[in-house]
Amino acid sequence: MAETMNGLKRTHYCGEFGMKDVGSEVVACGWVQRQRDLGQLIFIDLRDRTGVVQLAFDEAAPRDIFEKAFTARAEFVLAARGVVRERTSKNPELPTGDVEIEVKELRVLAKAETPPFEIVENSNVKEDTRLKYRYLDLRRPDMQQRMIARHRIVKSARDYFDHHGFLEIETPNLIKSTPEGARDYLVPSRVFPGKFFALPQSPQQFKQLLMLSGFDRYVQFARCFRDEDLRADRQPEFTQIDLEMSFVDEDDVMEIGEGFLKHVFKEVLGVEVETPFQRMTWHEGMERFGSDKPDLRFGMELTDLSGALRGTAFRVFASALEKGSVRGINFKGGADRMTRKEIDKLAEWVKDYGAKGLAWTRLASTGESSSYEKFLSEEERAAVRTAMGAEPGDLLFLVASEKNSVVFASLGALRCELAARYNLIDRSKYCFLWITDFPLFEFSEEENRWVAMHHPFTAPREEDVGRLLSDPGSVCARAYDVVLNGYELGGGSIRINDAELQEKMFEALSFTPEEAQRRFGFFIDAFRYGAPPHGGMAVGLDRLVMLMTGTDNIRNVIAFPKVASSADLMSDAPAEVGGKQLEELGIAILPKQ
């Protein structure tokens, strides 16, 4: 039987002990990190979320206590009462390394089987194993520090928004499905057979209704759910710091967003963030970096070669220039850093982004070579090299496509891949910027209609309203994203508050009045009763914590995350449910065809 805490009260956390405590009688509790048996002397490193302290047992200790220490193994849970003393052999690498506890009483509160992996910092255990035993993984010091950092970030955020007059208001998690974007997670209703709630992809409509209700500054740490394909910085359920403001324009919202990020980086990391952030239009971001979330910590910007190659006889480039473009990046000094085999692998790699291939010129010290220059005239070769600022030692990469979106995606990803692979990034930098003037619409070939790039409540620029129906592809949104080191950290927009303009927006999205009413009826009706000008934004809390703690995997900052298939390896969710539950819901599961 395990012993109990009865009569003992913890006086200190393990990581708090120091020379100031020498001579004090204390009680420490935690898990055994390791036990060292030196015959007549036993040491136990006791761990909790604050750190480790050494417990000492020698021949002067009562025999029963010494025997308990002898049997203690990794992850046993102990409570120890004793006196703090100065260590004869100090450990300068340990914050508590100047002292130890001479144990007078020891209780084994729980024994432990040998864990499937060692509970140590920066474990190299496979992620699937760590996630299956997440409760053990969370004991590791680096994981605990990330969770503590998350707590501090949330606390700092609450303090900031409270100071600036925001009210924290919760919105529902069971709502009506209004499909426009990612797939909804659906929840069947037992009371209304055949009908479904949806889990919110964001609190968008509700936070706008709060503005209409007169709460002019709202904030919420909102749980959101999206049934979409996952990646390292995306989860099916996530948390966003969601805010909305009335009687504001873009500058007001962006100023609050900048102030929050400046505040939280200073409070949590001690890092001074310069404000105001740099601003860049969506068009400039795509032209220069091939991305609407560019990483500014390194160069390697895109060069448009369409002018240099206009009229070329080389069919690959000529056909691309009919509707699209030819662009390139210059990997300065890369010619002697990459082999031909590595270049060929990159040519296959860019095909994942829609490119048909990767043209290259290698100006190596051992000689020049190229996959395409022999098809160009002397003047065209010179024009391309001049446009790209080519010098001996450089490696030029070109992508040609009839779709600019393919050129941007391929080269935008390639510049980031090269920078990461060849350590071109200064990882001590935090480069913030705003991306503005997004297109309001993008054309969906699958649906054969214009769809909202953000959501259907985003306001168009005032000067573009007249083209909303006649030329939707040219209309820009009053939208803005905040970007940090190549990640979209958050985004928002000024919203439509005019009922007539909202109807035009729905018309541009090919919604009939009946369909718009069916999808958004309660929302449309509310705006007939006077909605103030308003706008807002949301910052991804999980992604913010990921970037602030220096990890590249969002699962490392969520206590109980899902894997790429949306499954929870620890609890085996999702799982089948009993027939009675399905019967109550009026649901029958059909066999797979």
Side-chain angles (χ1 to χ4, degrees), residues 178-226:
T178 55
E180 185 72 15
R183 288 182 295 272
D184 287 331
Y185 277 104
L186 301 177
V187 181
S189 170
R190 178 185 58 83
V191 179
F192 299 95
K195 295 187 176 181
F196 295 81
F197 293 106
L199 299 179
Q201 295 186 30
S202 81
Q204 184 61 47
Q205 294 177 55
F206 289 96
K207 70 178 182 179
Q208 290 190 245
L209 291 175
L210 286 171
M211 297 301 100
L212 186 145
S213 302
F215 299 99
D216 67 311
R217 289 196 166 197
Y218 140 97
V219 70
Q220 181 182 188
F221 296 80
R223 296 292 286 168
C224 305
F225 308 85
R226 294 179 187 172

Side-chain angles (χ1 to χ4, degrees), residues 8 10 27 64 98 111 119 159 202 263 278 291 359 474 485:
L8 290 183
R10 180 169 59 183
V27 175
D64 62 324
D98 289 342
K111 295 182 179 180
I119 310 300
D159 291 344
S202 81
H263 172 81
Q278 178 181 345
S291 173
S474 70
N485 294 352

Side-chain angles (χ1 to χ4, degrees), residues 249-259 279 434 436 480:
D249 60 18
E250 293 90 329
D251 289 339
D252 298 313
V253 181
M254 293 160 82
E255 183 180 354
I256 281 290
E258 287 179 358
R279 297 191 185 187
W434 291 103
T436 64
Y480 34 84

Side-chain angles (χ1 to χ4, degrees), residues 231 285-295 298-302 327-329 331 346-355 358 397 399 404-422 424-425 486:
R231 58 186 184 218
M286 300 304 290
E287 288 282 332
R288 291 177 59 189
F289 302 100
S291 173
D292 58 6
K293 45 182 182 297
D295 192 337
F298 61 97
M300 218 184 307
E301 296 186 21
L302 277 62
R327 299 170 195 260
I329 57 175
F331 180 15
L346 281 181
E348 289 299 313
W349 183 83
V350 296
K351 291 180 180 179
D352 290 341
Y353 297 89
L358 183 65
F397 290 110
V399 170
N404 278 328
S405 59
V406 169
V407 177
F408 289 143
S410 303
L411 290 176
L414 180 59
R415 70 178 287 271
C416 292
E417 176 68 17
L418 292 171
R421 188 180 296 186
Y422 293 97
L424 307 180
I425 301 172

